[in-house]
Amino acid sequence: KVLVKPPSRAGVHRADVYLGPAELVNYTIEADLLGTAQGRRRPDMGLINSGYTMDLMGAHQKIQVRSWASDLRFEKSVPFAWEPDVWYMMKFRVDQQGDKALVRGKVWKRGEPEPAEWTVAAEDPHPVRNGSPGLYGYSPVDIHYDNVKVTVNSR
């Protein structure tokens, strides 16, 4: 069994699902995600950690970490080509480090070894201090989520 975010019947196709209290800090969220495609339509899908979003952007074929989509005060993007109907593992970690936050994410195909290096990493000099873990989806096609896990960061 998996969680599926279908397209909405009307209105906006965006959905955020929060999985814990807003006071959480210094944790990692992981999940397996699969985005479907219909013609050229592909989803934006990802994870939420401490007020940050890691977004696997289908139409743009990149991965982005950001603090707030409508403002983009903090944002870093890197190219990342991914295929529809293929499971990808995502890991998203945020560490509070004094007056900054270290925001890092990894993405790789399920069944392959986890890469040693982070796919995307950035420092936020004005960090969001805490927030609920969650799942992100913006899509006119189905997104599948599986094996969601939240763990405390070890040093």
Side-chain angles (χ1 to χ4, degrees), residues 8-63:
S8 65
R9 292 178 189 233
V12 178
H13 295 294
R14 177 170 290 128
D16 294 335
V17 176
Y18 294 98
L19 307 170
E23 297 81 27
L24 292 181
V25 64
N26 289 321
Y27 62 87
T28 299
I29 180 169
E30 302 176 55
D32 299 345
L33 287 85
L34 178 143
T36 61
Q38 184 178 51
R40 295 186 341 207
R41 295 179 183 168
R42 288 186 176 195
D44 291 351
M45 57 188 185
L47 304 174
I48 301 167
N49 184 330
S50 302
Y52 297 95
T53 301
M54 181 172 73
D55 185 357
L56 193 56
M57 303 173 85
H60 299 288
Q61 291 291 282
K62 66 182 179 179
I63 187 166

Side-chain angles (χ1 to χ4, degrees), residues 10-125:
V12 178
H13 295 294
R14 177 170 290 128
D16 294 335
V17 176
Y18 294 98
L19 307 170
E23 297 81 27
L24 292 181
V25 64
N26 289 321
Y27 62 87
T28 299
I29 180 169
E30 302 176 55
D32 299 345
L33 287 85
L34 178 143
T36 61
Q38 184 178 51
R40 295 186 341 207
R41 295 179 183 168
R42 288 186 176 195
D44 291 351
M45 57 188 185
L47 304 174
I48 301 167
N49 184 330
S50 302
Y52 297 95
T53 301
M54 181 172 73
D55 185 357
L56 193 56
M57 303 173 85
H60 299 288
Q61 291 291 282
K62 66 182 179 179
I63 187 166
Q64 179 184 73
V65 291
R66 62 178 178 261
S67 61
W68 192 25
S70 63
D71 184 10
L72 287 186
R73 174 197 60 80
F74 168 78
E75 176 274 336
K76 181 167 182 185
S77 299
V78 296
F80 189 88
W82 62 274
E83 305 165 36
D85 300 310
V86 173
W87 282 102
Y88 288 87
M89 300 179 77
M90 296 182 74
K91 180 184 275 191
F92 188 29
R93 178 177 174 143
V94 177
D95 291 288
Q96 298 294 327
Q97 298 180 332
D99 61 349
K100 63 184 178 192
L102 181 56
V103 179
R104 298 178 285 185
K106 291 183 183 183
V107 182
W108 68 99
K109 285 185 179 178
R110 185 161 75 178
E112 294 182 356
E114 179 178 341
E117 299 296 319
W118 294 96
T119 309
V120 61
E123 284 187 3
D124 185 357

